[in-house]
Amino acid sequence: MTIGAARILRQRKWPLSGQQIKTLREDAGLTATKLARLVCMTPEHLSRVENERTGSSFALDKLIRAVLAISLGMSDALVHDVLSRLPSGELLEDN
């Protein structure tokens, strides 16, 4: 995993941009279809998120960050750090 990927995943700003998701997904060696399945969404919806034609909910953003962090080989401590940096009060709210 690159330092840049860790820095993007650990940022407090959310949601990740579509380009950030796509770059991290490719760095993790995941196809769009595979990432979509891992986060329980259709590949078409992921494509809309990556191309910024639709927004991402807080819950989806957090799930995508977790899956990408694990796929990029981050340690459990770093995955926890990524997720703990995000506000938790909005976990179930959609944008």
Side-chain angles (χ1 to χ4, degrees):
M1 177 183 54
T2 67
I3 293 172
R7 186 175 299 128
I8 291 169
L9 286 168
R10 294 176 69 198
Q11 72 182 1
R12 290 181 189 265
K13 182 179 177 239
W14 75 273
L16 292 171
S17 73
Q19 185 58 50
Q20 288 172 320
I21 293 170
K22 184 175 182 177
T23 298
L24 291 167
R25 174 180 60 74
E26 291 172 346
D27 287 352
L30 296 173
T31 65
T33 300
K34 179 68 173 177
L35 178 59
R37 286 183 182 149
L38 289 170
V39 298
C40 301
M41 65 189 310
T42 66
E44 294 80 15
H45 186 189
L46 179 61
S47 175
R48 288 192 300 272
V49 170
E50 285 186 348
N51 291 301
E52 300 185 359
R53 291 189 306 249
T54 190
S56 178
S57 69
F58 177 80
L60 178 60
D61 182 72
K62 198 164 187 174
L63 181 57
I64 287 172
R65 285 178 197 246
V67 168
L68 290 172
I70 292 165
S71 297
L72 287 163
M74 292 179 89
S75 68
D76 290 347
L78 283 175
V79 172
H80 176 73
D81 184 56
V82 164
L83 299 179
S84 68
R85 290 175 176 271
L86 301 170
S88 59
E90 302 172 53
L91 182 59
L92 299 178
E93 293 181 18
D94 288 334
N95 282 344

